[in-house]
Amino acid sequence: MPDTLTVTDNRTGKTYTLALHDGNIRAIDLRQIQTNPDDFGVMSYDPAYTNTAACRSSITYIDGDKGILRYRGYPIEQLAEKCTFPEVAYLILNGELPTPDQAQDWNEHLMRRTMLHENVKKFMEGFHYDAHPMGMFISTMAALSTFYNEAKKVLDPEVRKLEVLRAISKVPTIAAYTYRHSMGLPYVYPDNSLTYTENFMNMLWKMTEPVYKPNPAIARALDILFILHADHEQNCSTSAMRGVGSSQADPFVATAAAAAALYGPLHGGANEQVLRMLDEIGSKDKVPAYVAAVKNNKGKLMGFGHRIYKNYDPRARILKWAAERVFEVTGRNPKLDIALELERIALEDDYFVQRKLYPNVDFYSGIIYQALGFRPEMFTVLFAIPRTVGWLAQWEEMITDPEQKIARPRQVYTGKALRDVPARP
Ligand code: CMC
């Protein structure tokens, strides 16, 4: 059976044979379908890209109907159980899990670059006392572009490698500084004798003690959270990363653009909104009324629904489990009971069942973050740290893909036809 599609244009009666590549047509092949030689040809119209593949990628696989997520072929459940975040970062960037020697080397390289230039710190001190941490994160990431001028050489593989390493090493430091700034606390310098996640905890929570001792259970929980958030193929922020990167802008400003996309409440900003929603609901007995209001178009159930998953988000399942482990150390966050009740009622309700709306990654992550002592404003920053790995891996894949060019979608023009400017008074 040939891998082709036959299309008949009912306007002209002509028939076209379109080749299928991996089961898909190339949108440009539609352009041969014309009513006359001057006709521009047919395009595909796809607002919000609900059915358009913009790249070929070998990083992350999702089967939304079955609730499957894999990085480089490995199931997310196994990676969360058996690996550390730096190992998973290495996997996402390089395609294979590191050997013990490679892992040690990678950790050393990562930890060697955790410091920020003192002027970055001074730059951050300029933010208002109540600046949103995500606004600080985005701006500081963009500002790194001014500290590493050579990052503009995006076609040089060695430069790219160094800047990717720099960005991944420094995101926890930037994130921790946004936290300390919003708390009015002095910044804590990195301690490179710790692991990636432990050092992040050190920069967040060290007070007057001479050496910070991270709780291993919390460090592991954060590591798992980072693993679950590391990549998610062509979502809104990754598409922003690829789109901005396609103009050959440097990786720091492209990462800032991706982080800006993540900030929105429909994307990574949803974790912050989930906590606000649980606060608004207040107690378990108010859940039915809240769900009824959502069904009456009075807002959305934040942390529910996904463009791709039409089944339980596998990350939410792991987070539900991780929440219980964290609560063994921190004490139970009472919001979990409201969340569990919300999930129970929603999953039995026809509105949610018919629309295949399930809890997504943001539904349980905020409850864990809050139990760890973070204010909701910090939640999206915690998402951005590990996602920086995914953004940069996707950026590298885009830059080295010979088929990729500057991203430039088409439009269907709906404005006025040609007209003359009337005589001016
Ligand atoms: N609560 C109530 N109804 C919903 C929700 C929700 N959370 N999500 C979708 N729907 C309804 C929507 O109103 C529509 O109903 P109808 O067919 O009657 O018009 C139907 O379900 C289909 O939804 P959609 O808006 O076409 O779906 P989408 O693929 O465009 O949007 C989404 C996906 C994630 C933006 C959306 O589900 C949403 O806004 N969820 C809440 C925000 C959220 O949790 N975002 C985090 C996403 S996962 C992590 C991440 O990306 O960072």
Side-chain angles (χ1 to χ4, degrees), residues 145-183:
S145 154
T146 67
F147 288 83
Y148 302 108
N149 287 323
E150 74 282 6
K152 288 171 185 46
K153 294 182 193 155
V154 295
L155 300 181
D156 182 332
E158 286 308 311
V159 171
R160 286 203 305 273
K161 205 170 162 192
L162 176 61
E163 307 312 336
V164 165
L165 188 61
R166 273 196 177 125
I168 297 171
S169 301
K170 291 182 198 311
V171 274
T173 318
I174 298 174
Y177 279 17
T178 69
Y179 175 78
R180 301 286 293 201
H181 184 87
S182 60
M183 302 292 280

Side-chain angles (χ1 to χ4, degrees), residues 184-231:
L185 292 167
Y187 303 142
V188 176
Y189 288 102
D191 175 348
N192 294 351
S193 66
L194 299 171
T195 67
Y196 188 87
T197 314
E198 289 170 347
N199 171 51
F200 179 49
M201 292 166 68
N202 158 68
M203 293 187 291
L204 289 169
W205 294 318
K206 182 171 185 291
M207 297 305 271
T208 52
E209 67 273 38
V211 178
Y212 177 80
K213 292 213 174 59
N215 179 308
I218 301 293
R220 183 65 194 137
L222 266 179
D223 227 42
I224 292 175
L225 276 153
F226 282 180
I227 291 170
L228 300 183
H229 286 86
D231 193 52

Side-chain angles (χ1 to χ4, degrees), residues 48 50 229 232 235-237 262 264-271 273-274 294-295 297 299-310 313 315 351-352 355-357 360-363 383 387:
T50 53
H229 286 86
H232 213 233
N235 52 77
C236 179
S237 57
L262 187 75
L266 298 188
H267 191 6
N271 50 18
Q273 301 308 323
V274 170
V294 167
K295 286 163 61 182
N297 283 331
K300 282 182 170 171
L301 212 51
M302 298 312 284
F304 258 72
H306 199 275
R307 172 65 58 77
I308 307 287
Y309 291 121
K310 299 301 166 199
D313 181 337
R315 302 168 299 174
Y351 176 96
F352 296 90
R355 290 170 178 76
K356 299 188 176 164
L357 300 171
N360 59 49
V361 70
D362 293 319
F363 192 65
F383 189 154
R387 184 55 61 86

Side-chain angles (χ1 to χ4, degrees), residues 87 97-108:
E87 285 174 328
L97 280 165
T99 62
D101 283 351
Q102 285 168 333
Q104 195 187 345
D105 193 50
W106 170 237
N107 272 316
E108 276 169 22

Side-chain angles (χ1 to χ4, degrees), residues 2-9 14-20 25 33:
D3 276 355
T4 57
L5 212 64
T6 303
V7 176
T8 303
D9 185 344
K14 279 196 200 158
T15 293
Y16 301 84
T17 303
L18 305 183
L20 289 167
I25 60 158
I33 306 176

